[in-house]
């Protein structure tokens, strides 16, 4: 699950390179309703693009992911920054 940002085609390609088979994207444009969304049950990882999310939304999704033991990656909307964070996460999974 990728939360934040408008166009994530570069990020999607990079995540597919890491082996992601299904990528869901929420742009979180409607700030009031963003915090009311529930992380889908089949979610393996939550990626939050910090440049596009307010603090309340980030806290909501981080807390929900933590309750369900889902890893969270926070990154700028930049493929190189996200690539580094994904590599760190992959090292922790091994």
């Amino acid at each position: 699950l990728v939360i934040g940002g408008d166009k994530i085609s570069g990020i999607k390609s990079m995540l597919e390179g890491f082996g992601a088979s299904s990528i869901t994207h929420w742009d979180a444009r409607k700030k009031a309703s963003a915090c009311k969304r529930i992380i889908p049950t089949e979610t393996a990882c939550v990626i939050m693009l910090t440049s596009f999310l307010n603090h309340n939304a980030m806290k909501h999704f981080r807390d929900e992911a933590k309750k369900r033991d889902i890893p969270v990656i926070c990154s700028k909307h930049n493929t190189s920054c996200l690539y580094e964070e994904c590599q760190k996460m992959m090292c922790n999974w091994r």
Side-chain angles (χ1 to χ4, degrees):
L1 173 62
V2 178
I3 306 171
D6 290 328
K7 297 178 184 177
I8 63 160
S9 56
I11 289 173
K12 263 189 171 179
S13 298
M14 186 209 54
L15 293 173
E16 288 167 351
F18 273 106
S21 58
S22 176
I23 301 167
T24 303
H25 175 235
W26 295 344
D27 65 9
R29 279 278 182 192
K30 296 178 184 177
K31 294 176 182 161
S33 64
C35 289
K36 295 178 184 173
R37 295 186 93 168
I38 304 294
I39 296 173
T41 55
E42 67 279 354
T43 302
C45 180
V46 174
I47 297 172
M48 292 191 284
L49 302 176
T50 57
S51 303
F52 297 91
L53 290 174
N54 65 40
H55 291 281
N56 290 334
M58 288 181 65
K59 181 174 179 2
H60 167 75
F61 292 120
R62 186 183 306 253
D63 290 348
E64 187 179 345
K66 186 175 182 178
K67 286 178 195 173
R68 295 173 41 199
D69 202 29
I70 300 172
V72 175
I73 296 174
C74 296
S75 175
K76 296 178 182 178
H77 187 263
N78 177 321
T79 53
S80 61
C81 290
L82 183 56
Y83 183 83
E84 288 178 23
E85 293 300 318
C86 287
Q87 279 189 318
K88 289 178 194 175
M89 181 70 68
M90 296 299 276
C91 289
N92 290 338
W93 282 349
R94 293 180 186 175

